[in-house]
Amino acid sequence: MNKLLSAAVAVAVAATVVSAQNAIVAQKTSRDVTHLTPTSKAWDYVKGTEVDLYPQSTIQMNDLRANLMNKRIKGKTATVKAIYDSKNIAFLLEWPDGTRSIQQGYRSDVYGDGFAVQLPVNFDDPKKLPYIGMGSEGRPVVIHLQKAVQPIFEPNGKGDVGMQQNVLSKNAFGKDAGAYQDKVASLAVKDYQRSFVSEGFRSMTEIKDSSEKFDADMKYGNKHWKGTLIRPLNDVYLHLDKGGAFPVAFATWDGARMNRDGLKLLSGWVPVKLEGQTGGDALVEELTAKPKGNAENGKNLVMQNGCMGCHYIPGMSMPGFMAPNLNNVGGQATAAYIRESIVDPNAVIVPGYNRNAHPNTPWYNVVDGKRQSTMPPYPLDDKSLDDMVAYLKTLKVEVEK
């Protein structure tokens, strides 16, 4: 534990938790945050914020067993804490998980628990943030991924297959046998953490040139995971302290439910306010304000405009594969994103067309190399748009308590 850091933060704050409708306040410290771990005592003195995570239902995997297992899954509430120094910021994400699942390197049907932290490259205009599911064209995101894995030997890129023979075949005894086993253990990849830049489904590209440095870790206990993510405030991709606040989103995977790839729980964009810095008020307001429209009238307008003809909307249509499933749009998309999608469907068209969709009903066409949505724009008056957005923001599954 970093005792100095613990002492520093203990002076100013109490260990409280506020609701998901509030911004995450990143507390400022003069001490180095890069030594924090999921179990550091210092986190006890950092204020937490509850963040709800919902099933990512806009896509569906080609895995019947996994789909059935997650068909009626509820959302979860995670607690997020953040603290920053002059160069780096550290997050602690704690979420419930009744089982500890570790990725098995030699099995393709066993999946590990994990978490990810997503950050938009550009957030100057809080009304035009990237699509929450791994960004969108022209609106890239950086994603930090941490998975729970067992030590992995080959393939690990080291070409050391000869060092993984059974110790019984090495004709080694006593200290020699122990030294061999220690050497083998040192060659294993014991951690799985990756950084990606992405502009939508199937566009994720791992950043391998060391330009995106971060450190992550996760610990399990008392049917909860705790995960830390520590990264610079500024690098070639991100400048998180340029405006006093920035958006962040979180995802978790439950290996026991066969979660992997897009089968996960995902939050919406949540504002992070940097304590002691000015600015960022518009971003915080945009991401924490309650919808101002009449949701009941919005529901009528959604039906009158036939949205359920292409989208799955609970109570209005059957699950289908033409347009994105809106079952959890209210828990993940911002009000501005929903509004933009209604009046200008071409503004954000997520790549990676759903392979389960019927070929005669694509949700976009490619014209002259550019994606064009098959949904027409709906230039409604402001009140009607506010009402529809208010209704669509109610669409989200129940959250486990």
Side-chain angles (χ1 to χ4, degrees):
M1 184 187 79
N2 187 331
K3 295 182 178 178
L4 292 176
L5 176 60
S6 176
V9 298
V11 173
V13 296
T16 57
V17 177
V18 296
S19 76
Q21 299 303 320
N22 293 293
I24 298 167
V25 177
Q27 296 174 196
K28 187 176 183 180
T29 178
S30 60
R31 304 294 183 177
D32 182 3
V33 302
T34 60
H35 302 297
L36 288 172
T37 71
T39 56
S40 292
K41 189 67 176 175
W43 291 114
D44 292 347
Y45 305 99
V46 179
K47 183 167 58 181
T49 298
E50 290 184 339
V51 175
D52 291 337
L53 303 102
Y54 298 91
Q56 183 168 322
S57 48
T58 51
I59 60 173
Q60 189 171 39
M61 301 196 72
N62 287 320
D63 186 329
L64 179 61
R65 184 183 170 202
N67 291 338
L68 290 175
M69 189 179 292
N70 291 275
K71 187 175 182 179
R72 303 190 188 285
I73 192 172
K74 296 180 180 179
K76 290 184 179 180
T77 298
T79 299
V80 179
K81 298 181 177 181
I83 188 169
Y84 75 104
D85 60 28
S86 61
K87 296 181 179 178
N88 300 285
I89 185 165
F91 291 96
L92 174 70
L93 179 71
E94 182 175 3
W95 71 99
D97 188 332
T99 54
R100 177 177 179 267
S101 302
I102 307 297
Q103 183 78 46
Q104 306 292 315
Y106 55 87
R107 292 188 59 177
S108 61
D109 60 345
V110 177
Y111 306 97
D113 299 328
F115 75 100
V117 178
Q118 177 179 233
L119 298 153
V121 173
N122 189 334
F123 48 89
D124 293 339
D125 185 349
K127 293 184 180 298
K128 294 185 179 298
L129 296 179
Y131 173 63
I132 192 65
M134 298 183 289
S136 42
E137 186 175 12
R139 302 182 189 183
V141 297
V142 168
I143 300 170
H144 300 298
L145 173 64
Q146 174 72 41
K147 300 297 288 285
V149 299
Q150 68 172 16
I152 300 171
F153 294 95
E154 288 296 338
N156 62 6
K158 297 179 181 178
D160 48 24
V161 178
M163 285 299 297
Q164 283 131 52
Q165 293 177 282
N166 189 309
V167 66
L168 298 178
S169 68
K170 297 299 294 183
N171 195 28
F173 305 92
K175 293 183 178 178
D176 291 340
Y180 171 75
Q181 290 176 307
D182 290 343
K183 177 63 174 177
V184 171
S186 70
L187 295 172
V189 176
K190 303 180 180 64
D191 198 7
Y192 181 98
Q193 53 181 267
R194 304 280 190 275
S195 286
F196 303 88
V197 61
S198 174
E199 295 190 28
F201 298 142
R202 304 176 196 163
S203 70
M204 286 181 66
T205 303
E206 186 176 351
I207 301 171
K208 296 182 176 180
D209 62 359
S210 301
S211 61
E212 189 65 27
K213 299 183 183 301
F214 81 105
D215 184 61
D217 195 5
M218 54 193 295
K219 300 293 183 185
Y220 187 79
N222 298 321
K223 298 187 181 301
H224 281 71
W225 278 105
K226 289 183 177 181
T228 49
L229 180 287
I230 304 170
R231 56 150 292 128
L233 285 164
N234 298 293
D235 59 23
V236 296
Y237 288 96
L238 299 172
H239 300 281
L240 301 178
D241 64 351
K242 64 180 180 181
F246 62 87
V248 66
F250 303 93
T252 62
W253 285 263
D254 184 348
R257 289 185 172 275
M258 301 182 72
N259 282 189
R260 73 275 195 192
D261 301 329
L263 191 58
K264 62 181 182 285
L265 298 182
L266 176 66
S267 76
W269 289 118
V270 182
V272 178
K273 176 61 182 173
L274 296 172
E275 184 185 68
Q277 293 196 21
T278 59
D281 296 341
L283 175 73
V284 173
E285 172 64 21
E286 181 65 35
L287 298 182
T288 57
K290 294 182 178 178
K292 55 185 178 183
N294 182 318
E296 189 60 32
N297 188 50
K299 182 178 181 180
N300 293 331
L301 289 168
V302 165
M303 289 191 287
Q304 291 170 14
N305 285 280
C307 303
M308 63 288 192
C310 300
H311 294 280
Y312 169 58
I313 299 175
M316 292 188 188
S317 55
M318 295 295 289
F321 303 117
M322 181 176 177
N325 182 327
L326 300 183
N327 193 31
N328 286 296
V329 68
Q332 292 163 343
T334 67
Y337 178 87
I338 296 173
R339 189 184 185 97
E340 182 183 52
S341 298
I342 296 172
V343 300
D344 184 11
N346 283 324
V348 175
I349 302 177
V350 178
Y353 179 62
N354 192 335
R355 65 186 66 183
N356 292 317
H358 192 286
N360 292 335
T361 56
W363 74 50
Y364 64 83
N365 295 311
V366 179
V367 179
D368 297 330
K370 297 191 65 175
R371 290 186 292 273
Q372 299 290 318
S373 175
T374 54
M375 173 178 160
Y378 287 79
L380 304 172
D381 60 82
D382 284 343
K383 182 180 183 310
S384 296
L385 287 169
D386 286 343
D387 291 351
M388 290 178 72
V389 170
Y391 168 65
L392 293 169
K393 285 291 290 180
T394 68
L395 298 182
K396 48 192 170 186
V397 299
E398 181 183 352
V399 175
E400 289 180 358
K401 297 298 181 185

